[in-house]
Amino acid sequence: MTQLVLIGLGVLIAVLTVVAVLDLLPPLRIVPDDTHFDFTRFRRISFPISAALSIVAIVLFFTHGLNFGIDFKGGTLLEVQSKSGTADIAHDARDAEQPWASATSSCSSSADRPTC
């Protein structure tokens, strides 16, 4: 299937190249040739606005930092508070043989040392 897609793309590109080289289609004109618009007329207002927005962006970058969004977060967050000592939920879950512990816990215990 992949070979057919690649062959089809190759044929399409070859046909479009021949059509473009031989000028078989009229040129695509999105903006008419007789359009006259003075872009430099707005330079006195557009430059200060652009500079101010750039400065605001730089200040916000250093004051608020980056928002990494949900793409950089994942997994399951489980917060545990212990009334005494440290909270070792992987060890406690293995001892209690909870059904969720085997699915989410990747800890293994060997004769030398436990690893998580």
Side-chain angles (χ1 to χ4, degrees):
M1 178 67 185
T2 305
Q3 291 88 6
L4 293 175
V5 171
L6 290 175
I7 290 171
L9 283 174
V11 168
L12 179 68
I13 291 171
V15 168
L16 290 176
T17 302
V18 169
V19 167
V21 168
L22 297 178
D23 283 333
L24 297 176
L25 293 176
L28 179 64
R29 300 286 182 195
I30 297 174
V31 179
D33 289 334
D34 59 347
T35 301
H36 299 287
F37 190 78
D38 187 17
F39 289 101
T40 58
R41 178 176 54 174
F42 299 110
R43 72 184 182 278
R44 293 197 192 324
I45 188 71
S46 63
F47 179 74
I49 290 174
S50 177
L53 289 175
S54 297
I55 291 170
V56 167
I58 291 170
V59 168
L60 287 175
F61 172 74
F62 284 111
T63 57
H64 291 287
L66 296 175
N67 179 11
F68 290 115
I70 197 162
D71 294 339
F72 294 95
K73 297 177 184 173
T76 303
L77 176 65
L78 182 63
E79 294 184 19
V80 177
Q81 291 182 347
S82 175
K83 295 185 188 240
S84 64
T86 60
D88 186 9
I89 62 169
H91 182 268
D92 296 339
R94 276 194 312 264
D95 290 344
E97 294 183 10
Q98 298 291 333
W100 56 268
S102 62
T104 58
S105 177
S106 62
C107 296
S108 63
S109 180
S110 65
D112 297 332
R113 62 177 189 193
T115 58
C116 291

